[in-house]
Amino acid sequence: MNAFWEVLEHLYKKVLLGATLESESHEYVFYLNPALPDQEYATTLSLERPDTNEVQEVHQPATVTAMPGAGVRVKRNSQTRGGQETQLLQLTVIQVMISKILSAETEIRAKEKYCDITKILLQSNEVDSKLICMIQNSDKLLSHMAAKCLALLLYFQLKEKITLSTSWIVFCENNLSEYSESNEVVHCVWILTAVIKEIFKDTCSEKTEILKQFLTTFETTLEVFYDSLFSQHFENHQDPSKIINSLVSFLDLLELLIASRIYLKSHFRSQSVFFLKPSCVLDILTQPLPAFVKRKLIIFIKKCLLCKVGEDLCRASVLALLSPDHHLDVDMMALANAVLQAVSLGLLKTLPVRGKRPCFGGNEAQPGGGDAAGPDHVLLRAASLITVKSLEIKFQNYTSINEMKADLQRFMSELLTFLKPHLQPCLQLYSPCEWLCQVFIEQDDDMLEAAKALLSVYLKLVRDYEATESVTQGKETWIRHTHENGYNPHCIFIFFLKNIGFDSAVLLDFLISSETCFLEYFVRYLKLLQKDWDIFFTICKAFNAAESQCGRNIHSCAPSLAQDRSSKQIPPPHGLTAPGSHRHAHACVPWAAGDSSELLKQDVMSKETDTVSDYSLTSHTSQRLVDYDSSDDSETESTGQCLANSQQTSFPEQASKTVQGPAGTARSSCR
């Protein structure tokens, strides 16, 4: 029987339960101190037991008997249990013990005992040096377990305000001073990432101080490694897998560094190095990298621009509302400028949109799993979003409207040219503003971020336009410019409604959801609609004309239940009345310059009194995502009555019933 193994297993079970350990801490340390492969495993230790029962608990489980007063000799490695198995169990016990120390559910007495054992282990046995040796072991399981254990020990030292191990600091500095094709680089980066994750997960109020203590040690080292890694030429490496592993691991670390800066309000150069030198990362995208690496880089940039870094890497909840940070605003501006500079130099053309799409588990499709051919929509969405988000950020400091219009036209033209081969052919025949809904159809959170960014750009241009131009001077040209470049907010909103089938229940889902920015976007859009009701009305009529011309139905995705067509115009809702008359709204032609634009313009002018009942907001046959009439017993009756009423009500009648409430308050006719 392997007494050493059984005692260690017995200790593991007690720690797993969070039980209090009664024996001396040094006795437990003996069993937890891992032996290096080149050490003599047959080293023995004689312990005289003053108390038979107490020693039996420590050295042997209850099934093992020991003679009173006799010395207990336990071999560190026996023939029945391999040394590696024992090491793995030792590492597991250490990990569980530290986890119990960090847990608020552990009893105070047990936690104090675990802390004492861990401190002795760190001070007297050089366990950190032994773990560093294990990390370099060829066995991947042992190496990984040693890395996890070392990360927890490092965080324990930080939390207990113990000076970090000198051997660990030297190990990091040696491997991260410049890039080398060694596995130790990945191990160092992974452990640093794991420590910052632990800082995020902790619920204590000293997170910022702990992070400061940690980053101060590696401030210079991290920046040096950043410069070295992103200056590499991947085509010069015979084994690119190692540098790719280092790059992917370091991106995870960078993401957490930026997240810690945003949410923990700390300011270190290592947290800002990406914003100070963004061109290093953007230049990497032009090199012959695997598609999944370029995708990860683009998504990383997208998260930085949206301030959503760290969401996938740390489990801790983060603040939804952030206080203003001038330094972060400056860094975001630098990143946006670098992205737009790269786009102007042809960055979008280098992205591997076509070809085998990277999927979970590899690039090869499973037999019978269908054809995976087609563009990489994840990459298309990310590239589109970083472009429009960078435009939004850059436009905050613009002062010249002509310069803004020129840059907007240049970058949007570049983006639409990039997207055109990968979208449905109908986009080329319809409206350039439809690009957003087609690209982001499967990712509503990104779609609304892009819509909000383009709305901000539009509002910035409108404010500057109204400040420098008269109300009517060149307005037709200005509105046409918004359509030709695919950023007219009214078209985008109508296409969004079309994509959700004009379903008010789905719209309500978006309004109450915390997973997207729809509420913020919708409030800002409604404020714009108060001023642009005439334009919105004309765009609706032009949609009708375009649908008739192209032989398409805007409700093709979900047929409306309203069949009768009204000859009434849509009145401007209460509180949304804008200066001017609808008779003059035809000056704004929604999209496309040239002959097709003139044809649409004439059609709109000739149908000034035509109906727009095709854009009914009534309910239809599409299924509701959530039934919100479930609070009373009248759920079925209320819902059924609402659907019955919607079948009889055309859009003008329903609109007037819905928005004519007191003080402009919307009231549903179904309530």
Side-chain angles (χ1 to χ4, degrees):
M1 177 182 292
N2 187 349
F4 186 90
W5 172 272
E6 293 199 9
V7 172
L8 192 60
E9 190 174 38
H10 182 67
L11 177 60
Y12 166 72
K13 292 178 180 178
K14 295 200 69 175
V15 175
L16 189 63
L17 295 174
T20 303
L21 304 177
E22 302 297 338
S23 297
E24 291 294 328
S25 299
H26 289 276
E27 298 179 5
Y28 298 105
V29 169
F30 167 74
Y31 289 96
L32 295 178
N33 182 24
L36 295 178
D38 57 351
Q39 287 182 326
E40 179 59 44
Y41 285 115
T43 301
T44 59
L45 181 65
S46 297
L47 298 174
E48 295 297 330
R49 296 180 298 174
D51 187 339
T52 303
N53 294 331
E54 184 174 325
V55 177
Q56 183 176 353
E57 179 200 356
V58 178
H59 295 289
Q60 300 183 31
T63 56
V64 179
T65 59
M67 294 298 293
V72 179
R73 299 173 62 87
V74 184
K75 291 187 177 183
R76 297 293 296 272
N77 184 35
S78 71
Q79 300 298 324
T80 58
R81 292 288 182 182
Q84 182 175 316
E85 258 188 288
T86 303
Q87 288 174 332
L88 289 171
L89 184 54
Q90 287 173 319
L91 297 177
T92 302
V93 175
I94 294 173
Q95 288 182 51
V96 175
M97 186 173 290
I98 299 176
S99 298
K100 293 297 182 180
I101 294 172
L102 300 176
S103 173
E105 299 178 357
T106 308
E107 294 182 2
I108 299 297
R109 188 161 170 256
K111 185 178 295 189
E112 290 175 351
K113 188 68 173 182
Y114 298 161
C115 281
D116 187 46
I117 294 172
T118 307
K119 288 178 181 178
I120 295 174
L121 190 65
L122 286 168
Q123 292 171 0
S124 61
N125 293 276
E126 297 182 349
V127 67
D128 45 4
S129 299
K130 295 177 182 179
L131 290 175
I132 290 173
C133 293
M134 289 183 178
I135 287 171
Q136 303 172 68
N137 194 290
S138 58
D139 184 270
K140 292 184 178 181
L141 178 58
L142 182 61
S143 175
H144 180 66
M145 290 291 291
K148 290 177 64 178
C149 191
L150 181 56
L152 283 173
L153 283 171
L154 288 171
Y155 182 66
F156 175 81
Q157 290 175 312
L158 292 169
K159 193 172 177 64
E160 295 296 320
K161 296 181 172 56
I162 301 173
T163 304
L164 288 179
S165 155
T166 304
S167 58
W168 161 248
I169 295 174
V170 172
F171 178 70
C172 273
E173 290 177 345
N174 290 341
N175 287 285
L176 300 182
S177 58
E178 62 178 359
Y179 174 75
S180 61
E181 292 188 358
S182 64
N183 294 326
E184 284 72 23
V185 171
V186 177
H187 294 316
C188 285
V189 173
W190 189 92
I191 292 171
L192 291 172
T193 305
V195 173
I196 299 179
K197 283 183 181 181
E198 290 299 325
I199 296 175
F200 266 100
K201 287 164 57 178
D202 204 340
T203 57
C204 71
S205 59
E206 301 176 347
K207 289 184 179 183
T208 304
E209 290 301 320
I210 295 174
L211 183 68
K212 179 179 179 180
Q213 181 186 351
F214 183 63
L215 292 183
T216 301
T217 308
F218 304 102
E219 181 78 346
T220 305
T221 303
L222 290 173
E223 184 174 1
V224 169
F225 184 72
Y226 179 93
D227 294 335
S228 176
L229 177 63
F230 288 107
S231 63
Q232 298 295 313
H233 294 280
F234 289 77
E235 62 272 11
N236 297 335
H237 292 266
Q238 295 181 350
D239 185 8
S241 62
K242 290 186 176 181
I243 189 172
I244 288 173
N245 288 339
S246 299
L247 177 60
V248 171
S249 299
F250 192 63
L251 282 177
D252 291 342
L253 176 58
L254 271 181
E255 185 173 343
L256 276 182
L257 286 171
I258 297 170
S260 64
R261 178 205 175 164
I262 294 173
Y263 298 116
L264 300 183
K265 301 300 180 183
S266 56
H267 299 281
F268 287 89
R269 187 172 176 85
S270 57
Q271 296 172 302
S272 305
V273 64
F274 170 65
F275 298 103
L276 297 174
K277 305 172 183 180
S279 58
C280 297
V281 176
L282 292 167
D283 290 343
I284 286 285
L285 286 168
T286 62
Q287 296 194 33
L289 288 172
F292 81 92
V293 179
K294 291 193 174 184
R295 176 199 270 196
K296 186 174 181 68
L297 284 165
I298 289 291
I299 292 175
F300 168 72
I301 296 171
K302 181 192 79 172
K303 289 181 177 180
C304 291
L305 288 169
L306 297 177
C307 289
K308 291 186 176 181
V309 284
E311 287 187 338
D312 299 332
L313 294 175
C314 60
R315 300 176 184 176
S317 58
V318 293
L319 296 176
L321 298 177
L322 302 175
S323 57
D325 187 341
H326 172 69
H327 298 289
L328 183 62
D329 293 340
V330 172
D331 286 347
M332 287 295 182
M333 184 66 67
L335 176 58
N337 287 330
V339 169
L340 293 178
Q341 177 67 19
V343 170
S344 65
L345 294 176
L347 171 66
L348 299 178
K349 299 175 183 177
T350 66
L351 299 179
V353 179
R354 290 286 178 180
K356 290 184 178 180
R357 288 179 288 174
C359 304
F360 181 78
N363 291 344
E364 299 296 333
Q366 295 295 324
D371 188 11
D376 185 348
H377 291 285
V378 173
L379 194 57
L380 284 177
R381 288 193 292 267
S384 302
L385 188 50
I386 67 170
T387 303
V388 298
K389 189 65 181 178
S390 297
L391 281 171
E392 178 194 13
I393 295 172
K394 186 174 182 179
F395 274 27
Q396 294 173 3
N397 286 352
Y398 270 70
T399 56
S400 170
I401 185 172
N402 291 329
E403 185 180 354
M404 281 191 286
K405 289 176 66 175
D407 279 356
L408 182 60
Q409 183 170 359
R410 176 160 59 99
F411 289 113
M412 290 303 297
S413 175
E414 184 83 20
L415 177 61
L416 293 176
T417 302
F418 163 68
L419 294 173
K420 186 176 180 180
H422 310 298
L423 299 181
Q424 299 176 12
C426 60
L427 177 62
Q428 304 169 19
L429 303 174
Y430 204 41
S431 167
C433 296
E434 194 176 2
W435 74 270
L436 190 141
C437 286
Q438 287 206 23
V439 170
F440 295 98
I441 185 68
E442 298 176 357
Q443 196 73 32
D444 50 13
D445 55 341
D446 282 355
M447 174 178 65
L448 292 168
E449 288 286 355
K452 183 164 72 78
L454 290 175
L455 178 60
S456 297
V457 169
Y458 179 87
L459 292 174
K460 170 69 174 175
L461 287 167
V462 166
R463 284 192 296 267
D464 291 353
Y465 175 83
E466 292 177 347
T468 57
E469 304 285 346
S470 64
V471 177
T472 58
Q473 179 182 359
K475 192 169 184 180
E476 179 181 349
T477 304
W478 152 249
I479 296 299
R480 182 179 298 173
H481 181 273
T482 67
H483 292 289
E484 291 173 346
N485 294 283
Y487 69 98
N488 185 278
H490 304 298
C491 278
I492 290 173
F493 184 69
I494 293 174
F495 278 120
F496 167 73
L497 293 179
K498 171 189 171 184
N499 275 359
I500 65 173
F502 294 89
D503 190 339
S504 58
V506 179
L507 200 62
L508 183 58
D509 285 340
F510 277 105
L511 280 171
I512 66 175
S513 173
S514 60
E515 298 178 358
T516 70
C517 62
F518 180 75
L519 181 59
E520 180 186 358
Y521 160 74
F522 194 49
V523 169
R524 297 180 68 184
Y525 176 72
L526 290 179
K527 290 180 179 179
L528 171 66
L529 194 58
Q530 288 180 323
K531 302 178 181 179
D532 281 6
W533 177 255
D534 287 348
I535 299 175
F536 175 77
F537 180 71
T538 302
I539 289 175
C540 287
K541 292 195 296 181
F543 260 74
N544 190 24
E547 292 285 346
S548 301
Q549 182 184 23
C550 300
R552 298 170 54 188
N553 191 324
I554 200 165
H555 280 103
S556 58
C557 60
S560 173
L561 295 178
Q563 301 296 331
D564 56 321
R565 303 175 63 89
S566 171
S567 60
K568 301 178 182 179
Q569 290 185 349
I570 304 178
H574 181 69
L576 292 180
T577 306
S581 170
H582 296 321
R583 292 188 178 89
H584 303 289
H586 67 264
C588 309
V589 182
W591 50 72
D595 295 339
S596 60
S597 175
E598 292 301 322
L599 180 59
L600 286 176
K601 180 177 178 180
Q602 295 173 8
D603 195 5
V604 171
M605 293 175 63
S606 64
K607 297 184 178 182
E608 184 69 25
T609 59
D610 284 356
T611 179
V612 287
S613 59
D614 280 343
Y615 306 104
S616 169
L617 296 182
T618 56
S619 301
H620 49 75
T621 56
S622 64
Q623 184 179 3
R624 283 172 173 256
L625 298 181
V626 179
D627 188 352
Y628 296 98
D629 297 322
S630 58
S631 58
D632 301 316
D633 295 334
S634 60
E635 169 190 354
T636 306
E637 179 183 355
S638 175
T639 307
Q641 183 64 34
C642 181
L643 286 174
N645 289 343
S646 67
Q647 295 177 1
Q648 303 294 329
T649 308
S650 63
F651 173 75
E653 296 168 345
Q654 184 183 4
S656 62
K657 291 179 181 179
T658 302
V659 300
Q660 294 297 332
T665 303
R667 297 181 302 176
S668 173
S669 60
C670 301
R671 298 281 180 175

